[in-house]
Amino acid sequence: MTLDEYLSSPGAFTVTQLRIRMAALGYRIKSNAQLRQWRHAYGNRAPSPENCVGLELATDGAISRKDQRPHDWWLLWPELDGAAIERAKSSDDTQPPVGDAAGEGE
């Protein structure tokens, strides 16, 4: 859910309530205008990675980091891409250690 979808949904926080909630969680938002700019992507503005986490926490997950940063979320939070983690775990491209435990071969 995007910020705009969230703020337009019944029972959602208002912009002011969301800003206050984020501040209570330690995420400082300059003003309501900043949230409105993110809401409408004014001037291609998007929340910083840190504020994406704040939005996710403040809305109890209703707004996800993935939804706020659809073009780069996997670079910022690779742990959210479970498939990538499984691919890395199952990769057979690991290299054996160089040398041996006795220090021979150096």
Side-chain angles (χ1 to χ4, degrees):
M1 176 181 292
T2 65
L3 179 57
D4 184 45
E5 291 167 338
Y6 174 80
L7 291 170
S8 299
S9 65
F13 289 135
T14 64
V15 170
T16 299
Q17 291 169 328
L18 184 56
R19 182 179 52 78
I20 291 169
R21 174 86 170 128
M22 289 182 71
L25 293 169
Y27 297 90
R28 300 288 176 214
I29 305 300
K30 295 176 188 174
S31 67
N32 289 355
Q34 186 174 16
L35 282 167
R36 287 189 194 100
Q37 289 172 356
W38 296 341
R39 178 181 190 175
H40 300 292
Y42 178 77
N44 293 321
R45 291 190 175 109
S48 67
E50 179 181 357
N51 284 322
C52 287
V53 174
L55 285 166
E56 188 172 64
L57 293 173
T59 62
D60 295 323
I63 299 174
S64 76
R65 290 175 268 176
K66 289 180 179 182
D67 292 334
Q68 292 302 300
R69 302 289 296 236
H71 304 294
D72 63 358
W73 67 265
W74 63 91
L75 299 171
L76 300 166
W77 307 289
E79 69 277 8
L80 298 181
D81 185 5
I85 292 171
E86 290 306 312
R87 284 192 303 272
K89 285 181 183 176
S90 66
S91 174
D92 62 358
D93 193 28
T94 56
Q95 301 295 316
V98 177
D100 61 324
E104 296 176 21
E106 289 183 23

